[in-house]
Amino acid sequence: MVARIAMGAKDAQTVNAIKEADSYSGTAVIVAYSHCIAHGYDMANGASQQKLAVECGYWPLYRFDPRRSAPGESPLHLDSSAPKGRVQDYARNETRFRMVEQQDPDRFKH
């Protein structure tokens, strides 16, 4: 069982992923978006930055549970909606990405 979560984006999806992982008899891996002071923004905005990452498609949320194959369902469940907004707008909130853009500004003109 594998899942990708972002607690600041969708609480219910996070809870569902953890419950599925807990009930799975084999190895379960949950990859969580974790904001960090090194990202270069106020940590008070961490949840909203996670939400932006999910909304623009930078950090898609999903759950992959092989048990769903038995009843004929797809084991992959995409919990994210279609991307809205631009990854560039999300990335510009973070110093770690702005530094890359500043090194080669022509590459990021769109």
Side-chain angles (χ1 to χ4, degrees):
M1 192 269 160
V2 178
R4 182 185 266 199
I5 64 172
M7 291 176 66
K10 279 191 166 180
D11 293 341
Q13 187 269 349
T14 297
V15 171
N16 287 336
I18 292 170
K19 286 167 66 176
E20 286 180 15
D22 185 50
S23 70
Y24 191 67
S25 63
T27 302
V29 176
I30 297 176
V31 180
Y33 186 110
S34 179
H35 50 273
C36 165
I37 196 162
H39 292 175
Y41 60 89
D42 186 341
M43 292 293 93
N45 299 323
S48 60
Q49 187 66 358
Q50 286 187 33
K51 187 173 182 176
L52 283 173
V54 170
E55 287 177 349
C56 75
Y58 174 80
W59 191 264
L61 305 179
Y62 62 82
R63 291 170 288 138
F64 181 89
D65 189 339
R67 295 174 291 189
R68 290 194 193 106
S69 295
E73 297 176 31
S74 172
L76 178 64
H77 183 57
L78 184 61
D79 295 309
S80 297
S81 303
K84 53 186 169 195
R86 299 179 328 149
V87 172
Q88 188 174 15
D89 295 334
Y90 151 78
R92 282 191 174 145
N93 288 334
E94 299 192 13
T95 302
R96 62 185 178 147
F97 296 127
R98 281 194 312 272
M99 289 184 336
V100 173
E101 182 179 22
Q102 289 169 359
Q103 289 176 4
D104 190 1
D106 292 335
R107 186 173 185 189
F108 291 92
K109 287 183 182 175
H110 292 358

